[in-house]
Amino acid sequence: MQKETKMQSITKNNFDFIRVLLAFIVFVGHLGALSDSSHLTFLTHSPVEVAVFSFFVVSGFLIARSYERSSSLKSYAKKRFNRIVPAYLLVICLCTILLSLVSTLSFSDYFGNIEVYKYFFWNSIFMNFMAPSLPRVFGNEAVNGALWTLKIEICFYAAVPLIFLLFGKNNKYRNTSLIVLYFLSLLFLNYFEMTGKAAISRQLPGSLCYFIGGMLIYFHFEKFIKYKNILFIIALITVWIDLILHIKLFSPIMISIIVLYIAYSLKFLNNFGKYGDFTYGIYIFHFPIIRVFATLGFFANYNPFFMSFVCMLVVIGVGIASWHLYEKKFL
């Protein structure tokens, strides 16, 4: 009965709302950075990095739960594969083919260029950094800079069964081991941030501390729910202190508390995702859509605020279409 009550309380949450909110924060930040419009520069203040790390927190919580509820490793792997890979490959294929229309190369020169096939190959296996651009597309800049997080997600998917295998589902050493991993991750993160290599700091194992934060809260869910209000206040104060000191010490676990506090408060948002989970589609498609708008001069030649609104509608429409016409068929 107690386990059933716990499961019921876990499933009543606002994760659908949180994911849409985080995706929107990322979209707004990228809109400011990619639009090349001075009128939209203020949008770059959108906390994109915090939103991305918050996605990792949500993943830590939900993936630990998914693995624990899976009947076998095969079942878990199939669910994780179907959630992320089909839509990911779709965006890679569509970008490879459709962006030929905005390349300054002719159709024959574009598809005759080896760089097109390098892009398709490396991005298909999540190695985006090996070939981030397509020939003469967007000035040879990155086609989809948002995809760097997905190789990290794949690594997280693989890490969870390994963590359970090494430390067990109810092993008394699991918490200690996760805390040790948390601080090792923080060492990596802070070292590269302090040496001016922020891009490296966000890669593995730097981002692992946020994922572990989500996992730890899942493993101690009852205690978290019991003390969530006081934990939320402590988290806000601690994050503020870390910001003042310009160091990430406790803020990753505190951001985890804040995100999951929102997930299990504001009950009126529980049914936010009843029409579908559009977040993933919005996230993986928004970057090239913004770039197409900028390349075609929509932000420069028309009212940038109106075109931003149109761009947002297109991104949301593509996210909805991706879910209903493609993603959910695999789930």
Side-chain angles (χ1 to χ4, degrees), residues 222-287:
E222 293 95 337
K223 289 182 180 178
F224 168 76
I225 291 297
K226 184 177 180 180
Y227 301 108
K228 68 173 183 172
N229 292 328
I230 186 66
L231 286 172
F232 179 68
I233 295 170
I234 293 171
L236 288 176
I237 296 170
T238 307
V239 169
W240 181 66
I241 292 172
D242 275 14
L243 286 172
I244 293 174
L245 298 177
H246 298 289
I247 187 171
K248 292 184 173 78
L249 186 56
F250 296 107
S251 54
I253 189 68
M254 295 303 161
I255 288 174
S256 303
I257 290 171
I258 292 169
V259 170
L260 289 160
Y261 174 86
I262 296 170
Y264 288 97
S265 304
L266 308 173
K267 293 182 180 179
F268 65 91
L269 295 171
N270 283 179
N271 294 321
F272 193 84
K274 63 182 178 181
Y275 298 111
D277 184 3
F278 317 132
T279 309
Y280 187 43
I282 290 171
Y283 183 82
I284 63 176
F285 280 103
H286 81 275
F287 201 98

Side-chain angles (χ1 to χ4, degrees), residues 95-237:
C95 283
T96 303
I97 297 169
L98 296 181
L99 292 182
S100 63
L101 299 174
V102 294
S103 173
T104 56
L105 293 176
S106 67
F107 189 79
S108 57
D109 287 344
Y110 176 86
F111 285 103
N113 194 310
I114 189 65
E115 297 302 318
V116 171
Y117 305 99
K118 285 183 179 179
Y119 172 86
F120 181 79
F121 172 75
W122 288 115
N123 283 267
S124 293
I125 59 172
F126 295 88
M127 304 281 280
N128 319 92
F129 60 91
M130 294 295 293
S133 60
L134 285 165
R136 303 284 187 87
V137 173
F138 308 144
N140 289 329
E141 294 183 358
V143 168
N144 199 340
L147 297 185
W148 70 270
T149 62
L150 297 183
K151 66 180 179 296
I152 294 176
E153 279 287 310
I154 291 292
C155 292
F156 287 158
Y157 290 175
V160 168
L162 186 61
I163 288 170
F164 275 95
L165 177 66
L166 293 176
F167 309 127
K169 289 189 175 183
N170 298 297
N171 194 300
K172 64 181 180 179
Y173 300 114
R174 182 180 59 195
N175 291 334
T176 303
S177 304
L178 287 175
I179 290 169
V180 169
L181 288 174
Y182 173 85
F183 282 105
L184 289 175
S185 172
L186 279 182
L187 281 175
F188 182 95
L189 179 67
N190 284 290
Y191 171 78
F192 283 103
E193 282 201 349
M194 290 177 177
T195 54
K197 299 175 181 176
I200 296 177
S201 73
R202 293 191 291 267
Q203 304 294 326
L204 283 174
S207 55
L208 183 63
C209 52
Y210 294 92
F211 185 79
I212 287 175
M215 288 187 70
L216 284 170
I217 292 176
Y218 172 74
F219 293 139
H220 300 278
F221 182 73
E222 293 95 337
K223 289 182 180 178
F224 168 76
I225 291 297
K226 184 177 180 180
Y227 301 108
K228 68 173 183 172
N229 292 328
I230 186 66
L231 286 172
F232 179 68
I233 295 170
I234 293 171
L236 288 176
I237 296 170

